[in-house]
Amino acid sequence: MQKGTFITMIVDRFENWKWYFREELGNKIFSFIHSLNEHSPDTDMEPLCGDTIKTRVMSYETKDPKEAIFEAHRKYIDIQFTLSGKEAIVWLPEVLAKPRTEYDVKNDVLFYHNEMSNATLINNMPGQFMVLFPGEVHGAGIWINNTVAHVKKAVIKIERETFFNFNG
C-alpha cells in the first residue's frame, strides 16, 4: 500500500461477519474460529487454505503500551480475535507512523517506532473480531486499565488478493 492510502480497519461482533466477508471466505474463517476455545493449544503459523490463509493460536500476558511492538503488513490482512481475556490493540494509519526497520518481504512485516500520540486504542474481547488491512500499523497485547491479564487469541492471515477474490 502506498503512503497516504489506507482502508479503515474493522471491529465488530461475530454475528455481523456477513457484512464484511464473501460467504465462502467467511464460512471458512468463522468455522475455524468457532472450532476454537480458551483451551485450544497454542500453535505456530499453520495453513488453513495453503499459503493464502494461515492461522496461529497464542497465549500471553498483556503489557504496558510502552512495551507494545508496532507493525504493519503488505501482503496479508490480519483478522484478530480473542478467545479469553481482554486486551487493547493499538491502531494507526501508516502515514502517521515512523518506520524503525526496512520491510521484511519473507515475513511480511515492517516494524515502527512505538509512538502512542497518534494511536487509537481498541479493546478486543471474546465475541468480536478485528480486521487489519495492509498499511495499518497495529500493536496487540496491551493491558486495559493498567491491569495485566492472560489472553488467549487467534490470528488469521489472509492474502490481500484472496480476501477480495476468494471463491471457495
Side-chain angles (χ1 to χ4, degrees):
M1 217 162 261
Q2 296 176 349
K3 286 226 176 233
T5 305
F6 64 93
I7 301 170
T8 303
M9 57 94 184
I10 299 166
V11 178
D12 206 340
R13 306 272 317 151
F14 283 144
E15 58 266 21
N16 297 327
W17 72 263
K18 289 184 179 183
W19 294 357
Y20 311 102
F21 297 89
R22 290 177 168 214
E23 187 171 2
E24 299 85 5
L25 178 61
N27 286 337
K28 181 171 273 308
I29 292 167
F30 286 93
S31 65
F32 171 75
I33 290 171
H34 289 299
S35 75
L36 300 174
N37 62 53
E38 64 187 79
H39 304 293
S40 297
D42 288 0
T43 65
D44 291 327
M45 194 62 70
E46 299 177 340
L48 183 64
C49 187
D51 247 8
T52 61
I53 304 174
K54 304 185 286 189
T55 65
R56 180 174 176 214
V57 178
M58 63 192 85
S59 303
Y60 51 80
E61 303 300 313
T62 57
K63 59 192 173 288
D64 186 305
K66 293 179 210 144
E67 298 173 42
I69 297 171
F70 287 28
E71 66 181 34
H73 311 288
R74 300 279 183 265
K75 183 177 180 180
Y76 287 93
I77 293 167
D78 277 4
I79 300 175
Q80 301 199 13
F81 62 97
T82 304
L83 298 164
S84 65
K86 295 179 183 178
E87 69 175 336
I89 298 176
V90 171
W91 173 89
L92 69 155
E94 192 174 39
V95 297
L96 299 178
K98 183 179 175 189
R100 68 175 176 85
T101 66
E102 294 292 320
Y103 174 63
D104 178 343
V105 175
K106 180 181 176 200
N107 294 307
D108 185 41
V109 69
L110 174 60
F111 294 102
Y112 292 83
H113 290 280
N114 180 327
E115 177 54 56
M116 295 296 294
S117 64
N118 293 316
T120 300
L121 273 175
I122 296 125
N123 291 345
N124 201 27
M125 56 199 70
Q128 70 182 48
F129 64 93
M130 182 176 199
V131 181
L132 297 151
F133 292 93
E136 293 187 311
V137 178
H138 54 282
I142 298 171
W143 64 29
I144 297 173
N145 298 324
N146 299 330
T147 303
V148 175
H150 182 77
V151 170
K152 173 73 115 185
K153 74 184 280 186
V155 175
I156 298 175
K157 293 188 166 287
I158 305 171
E159 211 171 47
R160 182 178 48 214
E161 291 78 18
T162 300
F163 182 82
F164 294 109
N165 300 308
F166 188 80
N167 291 315

